[in-house]
Amino acid sequence: MHVGAGRTGFSTGAGPVGFYASLGGGPRRGSRPSRRSPAQATKEAEAERLLAAFNEITSLHRTEFPGVTPPVAPPVAPVEHAKMLRRHERQALSGLGWFARAERRAARERSRLTANAEAAAWVAEAERERAKVQQELDRGWERLLANDPDALLGTLAEAFDDNEAPAAAVDVQGTEVSLVVLVPGVEAVPERMSGTTQAGNLTLRKLNKTDRAVYHLLLVAGHVLVTLREAFAVAPGIEAARVVALRRVRTDSYGSPQLECLLAGRFQRRSFDGVRWHEADAANVLTDTADELLLDRAPRTGELRPIDVRREPELARLITNVDLDEP
């Protein structure tokens, strides 16, 4: 958003196309106040929506995830000593007359000692329970560090549960995990982008196939990278990950989703060290950090084309075994 001398507007330099659009504003000096028509207001609202959509595509891979730390059992809750003391005093003083001062003093002292003993016993038992919980947490942490399949796959399933692009860990071998990401097709990229005419008027121009393909690549790469970043953050024992990006093509006559592979690659944790996430775009980070990268782009437009898995039997088997949960 640009606010300064002149008119308020918005601009972006992200991706292959930069643009700026004025949002109008107050009247210029010496001119009559202008009123926006409903059509103009609708167009400006659509321009803002498109700007937000393209910014989301270009910044998706910049999502950060804090690294996990060993879990710690919750501390023991404070003992309710005063409540215990009042209860014991009521019991001890029951039946004693108001003027039985000596007996009442002795009863209160007994109540204090009894309440102290009960509080100490309660704390000791709570500490024992906390120690058991901590031992269980420590065992789970050790299993995660050792890449125990059940612990690792369960942790990743929980981490990926709220991802925009559905993802899953499907296998672990030693310190390497295999991931599958279901990415959107090019239809997820808006067909139009805001711009201005030579006269400075707001326009919503249609993207050509080449520009739209670039943004689709950024979107796919962003989903792959954000999945990798999250996996490395929550699975400290993993040193490398193989990832396959699949796209749903259609649902066949039997109700089964048909998938195609748009991207496959292998990435090491250490390759992400030092990446300037807020400067580099997702496509460059993807190619710069991958040990192996398999994708196919159309020569003229750069569109992502499905990988011919007939030449990649391992990918073919993986796609065959993927079971999508239908909504």
Side-chain angles (χ1 to χ4, degrees), residues 107-160:
R108 287 194 175 92
E109 179 61 19
R110 290 194 305 271
S111 300
R112 185 182 65 81
L113 295 176
T114 304
N116 288 348
E118 181 182 352
W122 186 91
V123 171
E125 179 61 24
E127 289 289 359
R128 282 192 293 269
E129 290 300 320
R130 182 182 183 279
K132 290 179 182 179
V133 172
Q134 187 62 55
Q135 288 177 355
E136 206 52 41
L137 292 174
D138 290 342
R139 282 193 289 267
W141 177 252
E142 291 170 1
R143 291 173 59 205
L144 182 61
L145 290 179
N147 296 325
D148 173 83
D150 289 339
L152 178 65
L153 298 182
T155 297
L156 290 173
E158 183 178 354
F160 295 156

Side-chain angles (χ1 to χ4, degrees), residues 244-263:
V244 176
L246 304 179
R247 175 176 61 182
R248 186 197 300 263
V249 183
R250 65 183 182 89
T251 301
D252 65 19
S253 300
Y254 301 95
S256 300
Q258 300 300 297
L259 304 170
E260 60 187 16
C261 180
L262 291 184
L263 180 152

Side-chain angles (χ1 to χ4, degrees), residues 42-157:
T42 299
K43 178 181 281 191
E44 291 177 359
E46 178 64 5
E48 292 183 10
R49 186 191 69 81
L50 291 172
L51 177 64
F54 282 109
N55 282 341
E56 183 176 353
I57 290 173
T58 56
S59 62
L60 177 61
H61 66 297
R62 299 184 175 117
T63 305
E64 297 185 355
F65 302 92
V68 293
T69 56
V72 178
V76 173
V79 63
E80 296 181 337
H81 184 271
K83 185 176 180 180
M84 293 178 181
L85 180 59
R86 286 195 300 272
R87 174 165 50 82
H88 285 292
E89 282 188 347
R90 282 196 303 269
Q91 294 172 354
L93 296 174
S94 177
L96 293 179
W98 182 257
F99 293 103
R101 294 184 178 87
E103 290 84 351
R104 293 177 72 88
R105 282 196 299 270
R108 287 194 175 92
E109 179 61 19
R110 290 194 305 271
S111 300
R112 185 182 65 81
L113 295 176
T114 304
N116 288 348
E118 181 182 352
W122 186 91
V123 171
E125 179 61 24
E127 289 289 359
R128 282 192 293 269
E129 290 300 320
R130 182 182 183 279
K132 290 179 182 179
V133 172
Q134 187 62 55
Q135 288 177 355
E136 206 52 41
L137 292 174
D138 290 342
R139 282 193 289 267
W141 177 252
E142 291 170 1
R143 291 173 59 205
L144 182 61
L145 290 179
N147 296 325
D148 173 83
D150 289 339
L152 178 65
L153 298 182
T155 297
L156 290 173

